[in-house]
Amino acid sequence: MRTTTAVAIGVGATAAVIAAALVQAVLDDPIRSGAAALSLSVPSQYKGLIEKAGNTCPEIRPNLLAALLETESNFDPKVSSPVGAQGIAQFMPSTWETEGVDGNGDGKRDVWDPEDAIPSAARYLCSIANDVKNVPGDKESNMLAAYNAGSGRVIESGGIPPIKETQDYVRSIKALAKQPSPGGKTTTTAQAAEVVNAAQDMIGTPYSWGGGSQSGPTTGTCCSPNGSSGSSVAGFDCSGLTLYAYARVGIALPRTASEQYAASEPVKPGQEKPGDLVFYGSSPTSLHHVGIYVGGGWIIDAPRPGTDVRFDPMDAMSDRFAVARPTSPHNKEA
């Protein structure tokens, strides 16, 4: 296994070199952490609330509730969406009026108070689970779809509605709720270096919408949002490249950027390491791009149709959402 690499990045007529030391340096500072009982990003002040509320009924569990709250608000109790959803559980005012409860017994039902909003979200999930219990398909998926799109749409559609936002929402929460078992590890530093090497070996490979697998470049599918087809091009799209690079070290990532974010542990600003994934978009369920951090403010990525796998500045896109480190329940120190 290679653990160092020298990376040359062409920028016009000049070349910026990310030296082997950028990867070697982190080998002296291992990346590891134990798996949390809930979502790895659950703030400590909410863990007790989620543990309790997550057992309100058999249809929900703490991990699922935590994943929903992270997806809805990233655990921000003061956030308000453009359409008017409020608080940590993103209740619409009309829904809060009928479903909100006084969770802490202080005589008020406050959508902005997590002690009220978290148990209210759990009770609402239990309620809509009952609403859609006779709908065909996976009951948990139908319940989550109803939280996002409404029980009526799930019943009318006979399952998850054909709404991309709702479909992505369900997939993201279910992936996020599947936490590593106790003792699970984030990517080791030796693995991270190998991920960077694997991606670097693909520099110059064409972009292909839907292209890329654990084995390498593949022809893609039709069509990207701007109508570009990858069906005649063997290569990678952004998440296909990360899927391939991580497969080289035995870590199986999901296929899409949103699902890969859900399967990773968020990294605080300033703590990025080579091998981490850099995500772009406006929310966990609407991520449109992912690249592999290599150090020095650069990533390796498959940017868009008409380009090749290449190095790009980390901030080449203005909507950088987060940096995260993939996890594996069976990951061993390398």
Side-chain angles (χ1 to χ4, degrees), residues 96-122:
W96 180 257
E97 282 300 313
T98 58
E99 304 295 339
V101 299
D102 177 13
N104 57 10
D106 65 356
K108 297 183 295 183
R109 297 186 306 128
D110 186 356
V111 72
W112 305 107
D113 185 347
E115 293 186 357
D116 291 345
I118 291 175
S120 295

Side-chain angles (χ1 to χ4, degrees), residues 197-206 216-217 236 241 244 308-310:
N197 282 322
Q200 183 183 344
D201 287 344
M202 293 296 114
I203 294 291
T205 303
F236 294 101
L241 177 65
Y244 165 76
D308 297 335
V309 175
R310 68 189 190 191

Side-chain angles (χ1 to χ4, degrees), residues 99-270:
E99 304 295 339
V101 299
D102 177 13
N104 57 10
D106 65 356
K108 297 183 295 183
R109 297 186 306 128
D110 186 356
V111 72
W112 305 107
D113 185 347
E115 293 186 357
D116 291 345
I118 291 175
S120 295
R123 288 173 180 267
Y124 183 45
L125 281 169
C126 294
S127 175
I128 59 180
N130 185 65
D131 290 343
V132 300
K133 65 181 180 181
N134 294 322
V135 176
D138 181 71
K139 294 185 180 300
E140 184 174 272
S141 296
N142 289 339
M143 175 184 69
L144 293 172
Y147 195 96
N148 178 258
S151 299
R153 285 184 176 176
V154 173
I155 294 170
E156 180 182 349
S157 300
I160 302 173
I163 303 170
K164 187 177 186 302
E165 176 191 340
T166 301
Q167 293 169 346
D168 290 345
Y169 177 88
V170 172
R171 281 195 297 266
S172 179
I173 291 177
K174 288 176 73 73
L176 187 60
K178 294 177 181 177
Q179 292 303 310
S181 59
K185 300 289 184 179
T186 54
T187 314
T188 67
T189 47
Q191 286 175 318
E194 189 67 11
V195 165
V196 172
N197 282 322
Q200 183 183 344
D201 287 344
M202 293 296 114
I203 294 291
T205 303
Y207 181 98
S208 177
W209 175 262
S213 71
Q214 292 183 350
S215 300
T218 67
T219 53
T221 60
C222 186
C223 285
S224 72
N226 68 3
S228 297
S229 173
S231 59
S232 62
V233 180
F236 294 101
D237 63 10
C238 63
S239 56
L241 177 65
T242 54
L243 175 77
Y244 165 76
Y246 267 89
R248 297 303 87 199
V249 297
I251 295 178
L253 291 179
R255 186 58 180 81
T256 69
S258 289
E259 291 169 340
Q260 290 178 3
Y261 176 72
S264 304
E265 178 182 352
V267 174
K268 294 180 180 179

